[in-house]
Amino acid sequence: MPVVRPGPGCAVWEITLRCNLNCMHCGSAAGKARSDELTTDEALQLCDDLKGIGCQGVAMMGGEPLLRKDWPSIAKQVRDVGMDLSIITNGYKITESKFQRILDVNPELVTVSIDGGHAAVHDKIRGVPGSFKEVVATLRRFVKSGLPTGVITTVHKMNLGELPTIRKLLLGTGVAWQIQMATPYGRLTYDHVLSKEEYYSLALFIAATRKRYSKKELMIAGAHDMGYFSRVLPPLQVYPWQGCQAGISTLGIESNGNILGCLALPPKFVEGNIRERPLKEIWNDDAFSSYTRRVRRTDLGSECASCTYSKICKGGCSAVSHSMAGGLHRDPYCLRLIEEELKKSNS
């Protein structure tokens, strides 16, 4: 008998690869829709299948999810089968009709992406003039409507210095601000990735902001690639880090039905397609996401294996580890490790 696993807390679902921006850090290199994206019927069935494996919620993203014509039907089905719904949009060209449909599906959270505190920076990163003006207007519209609203900022060398200005923009609006590091997948090249010192300054910024402002003034947190176990800084994430959750509490779905443990990982980590195997079978397969579900000390990089927190951390974020260290369970962007390296260089 195959083991039936608990369902994921959240499935991150790229419902289309189509996008109306051209972001320099896009890990999917989004733009045109895939030729083999799921049909409406397949997408609606997938909602049922996600509920069937015990999935608690869906984060609907793209590309730009609102460019898929049937997105309201998919969103409604997510809600109708009893799962939570969040929508991640670039906030560009949100028509009155789209805005009303977002209100109609009543998501638990709608999130926009802001990558610069100035139009010149945001627009350059996003690849379209005028995108900053539109996303700020969209953000204000969401907040005014009473929708629970979040902002995601993806940080690299071009916008690290923009964070104080973005913070000023968000203060007092009631939004939740998530900060994540850009990794060299898709369009982003290695020369734009933060150095370890820059990454640590980003961590300091998050920690200082949390100390300076109340949650009512500004809720701020680091994403899955921010941490871990600093000797100096408090935890930066919403929940304590328990190791990479790919295939454990998270599930990634590409627009053509490919299934991964996490969408932040590259194509080599695709482990099945719902057109070829039922989602339940893929999820409960003993081999699915074995790199997170069964981590042994011998799987860890040397620094991680000798760490006090190895059993909990399990080598950090898989996406960062794979892209920046060439293997899993050896995330070089570990706050504790960086602190040790800085201490040695200053001694």
Side-chain angles (χ1 to χ4, degrees), residues 58-218:
V58 170
M60 201 166 68
M61 61 174 293
E64 170 49 44
L66 305 186
L67 291 179
R68 179 165 169 145
K69 291 182 179 180
D70 60 358
W71 75 263
S73 298
I74 300 172
K76 181 177 183 300
Q77 185 72 358
V78 169
R79 299 304 306 270
D80 286 351
V81 300
M83 294 185 291
D84 293 338
L85 171 71
S86 59
I87 300 172
I88 303 171
T89 171
N90 60 29
Y92 185 65
K93 299 298 183 184
I94 306 297
T95 63
E96 178 60 35
S97 174
K98 288 179 180 178
F99 177 71
Q100 187 56 52
R101 288 181 175 183
I102 292 172
L103 293 177
D104 290 344
V105 297
N106 191 28
E108 273 71 26
L109 181 68
V110 58
T111 302
V112 298
S113 300
I114 297 181
D115 293 315
H118 302 87
V121 177
H122 179 91
D123 290 358
K124 186 172 183 179
I125 291 171
R126 292 264 149 185
V128 175
S131 56
F132 178 76
K133 182 179 179 180
E134 289 221 16
V135 73
V136 171
T138 297
L139 173 67
R140 290 171 176 166
R141 194 178 191 187
F142 285 162
V143 170
K144 186 177 180 180
S145 73
L147 282 169
T149 306
V151 168
I152 295 177
T153 299
T154 303
V155 184
H156 42 79
K157 287 183 183 295
M158 187 176 291
N159 64 351
L160 178 61
E162 292 286 293
L163 295 177
T165 310
I166 300 174
R167 179 174 63 189
K168 185 177 180 180
L169 174 69
L170 302 182
L171 272 172
T173 62
V175 305
W177 189 16
Q178 177 180 295
I179 295 179
Q180 59 193 33
M181 182 180 76
T183 50
Y185 294 126
R187 294 196 188 100
L188 192 77
T189 56
Y190 280 92
D191 57 311
H192 283 99
V193 177
L194 298 178
S195 68
K196 291 184 180 181
E197 291 78 7
E198 289 169 330
Y199 176 86
Y200 199 80
S201 73
L202 172 57
L204 287 170
F205 173 84
I206 297 172
T209 300
R210 294 181 83 163
K211 184 175 181 179
R212 182 177 177 181
Y213 300 103
S214 67
K215 290 183 179 179
K216 186 176 181 180
E217 291 174 295
L218 179 62

Side-chain angles (χ1 to χ4, degrees), residues 1-5 277 280-286:
M1 292 281 295
V3 175
V4 178
R5 299 189 59 84
R277 297 173 67 197
K280 184 177 181 180
E281 183 179 314
I282 297 172
W283 176 256
N284 290 318
D285 193 318
D286 189 53

Side-chain angles (χ1 to χ4, degrees), residues 224-226 228 241 244 313 315-322 328-329 331:
H224 56 87
D225 53 8
M226 290 301 307
Y228 316 93
W241 179 253
C244 175
C313 184
C317 172
S318 293
V320 177
S321 183
H322 182 268
L328 299 176
H329 312 301
D331 185 348

